[in-house]
Amino acid sequence: MAEAKYETHEYDVVVVGAGGAGLRAAVEASAQGAKTALVCKSLLGKAHTVMAEGGIAAAMGNVYSEDNWQVHFRDTMRGGKLLNNWRMAQIHAQESPDRVLELEEWGALFDRTKDGLILQRDFGGHRYARLAHVGDRTGLEMIRTLQQHAVHQGIDVYMECNLQRLLTDGGRISGAFGYWRESGKFILFKCKAVVLATGGGGKAWKVTSNSWEYTGDGVTMASDVGADLLDMEFMQFHPTGMVWPPSVRGILVTEGVRGDGGTLKNIKNERFMFNYIPDFFKAETAETIEEAERWYEDKRNNRRTPDLLPRDEVARAINSEVKAGRGTPHGGVFLDIASRRPADYIRRRLPSMYHQFKELADVDITAEPMEVGPTCHYSMGGVRVDADTTATTVPGLFAAGEVAAGLHGANRLGGNSLSDLLVFGRRAGLYAAEYCKKFTGTVSLDNDQVDSYAGEMLAPFESKGNENPYTIHADLQECMQDLVGIIRTEAELNQALMIIQQLKQRSQNVKVEGNRHYNPGWHLALDLHSLLNFAQAATLAAIERKESRGGHTRDDFPNTDVKFAKVNIIVRRKNGEMNLSQEPLPEMPDDLKALLEEKK
């Protein structure tokens, strides 16, 4: 019996990942009466949610009373180039304000308006100031609040516990299998439902805001048991990551800097974003850049600055400036708030950014500009889920947050990630608990399946090969950065696919020295399975989408194509191979279509 051979725990719901989505799912599942476990790869509190500094997007109308869920829905759909799952975008826009107020009830401390309401700031792609925030450390406050609430509920937490495989029985979820990072000993969870909240796979790229945990675990675990993947071609390159020094290259610089008045400039001190305003963002009467600039400057105290265009637009503009030779000495552009706002304002509104640049780059952002450039940041694609329930195509498996696809379409608006975590984290926990209540029969584990996984995970110690996991990871990062980056071509994508296949072969010959007790080399060797599968799915989908849209730009197909305007690229694993299909978007109701047709 597997239960006798391995450390085993039995729950109704196992939540994998302890960021905002995982915590909110665990809180909800527990509140619904389900026996719940929360499992995290790293330490509790060290989630990527903490990096979301700018705020939580929710149409509360505290700064602009005319804001409402319909406008938020329209902004989200337009930002996602209309490839979003309309029902997810609707639910998200409607429920976000309640989730923010709920967070406040649980103890979150937000910045305030003069009237005592939750203050909201401007962010790219949002028509109105709608990001509820705590300075520039909103994600940290959100995690603190959710963690305290989860601990208060008595939810069992397994820290530094890395789950690698999902277990199934008769096609439905029966458990999960992994190991303790410290001891290397295996751990087995027997359960009726699993909620994946593992984030994305940004560590497949060289320049990234993501830390070591982001290796595509949830996407790969889901795909391995037959779940559909959707929109994997759409990777968001955040326009502003740190550029210098090299040791911090890629670390996020919050969009809140631009939301609070910061502007992007090239080496000639030009505000170049005015040269990249898409036609549908320009004033109807503006025929020249100068007219457009005056229009933007006049609107609501510069709220409509082109520096706050959607992230895909800004990242491509920065990329173009650098390629044209107008970049900074270290290959980025300047982000200047020092000349726009007083020093005390900057230190009060952007305390984390002030200390980040002061400590890591010896730059005083109250007195000089920052050097920034695009960094791989967020995956719009991931596991395909039902809009209302977050259920995947595998019974008993649910997904929320960045690991789940659909809400953001081809490009995510800043701030929508934190409200996504709250809205769909709650729904994942709720419907996972409901699934458990309706569950009939008993959960049984396949002993041979568990033993097979254990053998696969120990293989690097027994290997006769000589491949180093760090070398393979570095080669993958170079490949994805150079060939599957901001600008793509079919020839380069095919070359990347060939390299990934070669790296998969090499990964079978990885050799790890030492023993299982806290062995980072072994940990990375195991993560290669997820990293390589995430990279392969993203590359295959990028080849299939022969157009440019949102976070996917093809130099050989620079325009949007009507053939792909209402098509999702689906990746399914069959007999160990990834297969692609194009499937139509769900049909949108007429009342929501009418919202999208309204002029801004």
Side-chain angles (χ1 to χ4, degrees), residues 124-348:
H126 293 280
R127 178 171 173 81
Y128 298 112
R130 91 167 41 110
L131 268 71
H133 61 278
V134 186
D136 59 353
R137 48 178 180 264
T138 312
L140 180 63
E141 181 69 1
M142 182 165 141
I143 286 291
R144 180 194 69 78
T145 304
L146 290 172
Q147 277 181 187
Q148 289 184 352
H149 200 71
V151 170
H152 176 72
Q153 282 188 286
I155 295 168
D156 293 339
V157 179
Y158 296 80
M159 285 189 282
E160 294 203 287
C161 182
N162 188 348
L163 296 184
Q164 289 269 315
R165 301 287 194 275
L166 296 175
L167 306 172
T168 55
D169 175 36
R172 65 183 182 183
I173 291 296
S174 61
F177 187 66
Y179 66 96
W180 290 103
R181 283 175 54 80
E182 183 180 3
S183 67
K185 292 180 179 178
F186 292 128
I187 183 169
L188 175 62
F189 288 92
K190 190 177 180 180
C191 60
K192 299 169 184 173
V194 167
V195 175
L196 293 174
T198 54
K203 283 305 283 183
W205 279 260
K206 185 177 181 180
V207 180
T208 178
S209 65
N210 298 173
S211 63
W212 62 268
E213 302 97 330
Y214 255 41
T215 53
D217 301 352
V219 164
T220 299
M221 283 194 286
S223 177
D224 282 347
V225 294
D228 289 354
L229 305 182
L230 179 145
D231 288 347
M232 289 296 293
E233 67 272 30
F234 294 116
M235 288 298 298
Q236 182 173 85
F237 290 82
H238 193 292
T240 58
M242 291 182 75
V243 165
W244 190 258
S247 59
V248 297
R249 188 176 181 92
I251 291 180
L252 196 64
V253 179
T254 176
E255 201 164 303
V257 176
R258 286 171 286 140
D260 282 340
T263 57
L264 294 164
K265 298 178 179 178
N266 59 26
I267 195 67
K268 298 180 179 180
N269 203 37
E270 298 169 334
R271 287 189 62 188
F272 59 85
M273 280 307 303
F274 285 107
N275 298 321
Y276 297 92
I277 304 168
D279 290 340
F280 57 85
F281 277 104
K282 290 182 181 179
E284 288 81 354
T285 57
E287 295 182 359
T288 65
I289 290 173
E290 290 73 20
E291 287 179 30
E293 181 167 3
R294 284 196 297 273
W295 182 76
Y296 273 93
E297 293 286 358
D298 289 343
K299 286 289 182 180
R300 297 184 189 271
N301 192 26
N302 197 33
R303 186 173 54 79
R304 297 177 67 102
T305 167
D307 299 281
L308 281 175
L309 285 171
R311 289 174 174 176
D312 60 320
E313 305 280 354
V314 181
R316 282 196 295 272
I318 292 174
N319 189 65
S320 296
E321 288 296 302
V322 173
K323 283 193 169 183
R326 295 187 290 272
T328 61
H330 301 114
V333 295
F334 290 121
L335 174 55
D336 172 33
I337 195 171
S339 67
R340 309 269 297 174
R341 297 288 184 261
D344 61 339
Y345 175 94
I346 296 170
R347 283 191 289 265
R348 184 178 74 253

Side-chain angles (χ1 to χ4, degrees), residues 552-597:
H552 170 68
T553 301
R554 289 281 298 265
D555 209 22
D556 45 354
F557 295 96
N559 301 314
T560 55
D561 188 333
V562 68
K563 290 186 296 185
F564 290 97
K566 295 184 178 181
V567 170
N568 290 129
I569 308 297
I570 308 297
V571 179
R572 289 191 186 94
R573 184 179 292 280
K574 287 185 179 178
N575 301 319
E577 296 294 324
M578 288 185 181
N579 294 283
L580 295 175
S581 64
Q582 296 182 18
E583 298 189 11
L585 289 168
E587 189 64 29
M588 190 186 302
D590 291 339
D591 59 331
L592 295 182
K593 284 182 182 176
L595 285 178
L596 295 179
E597 291 164 3

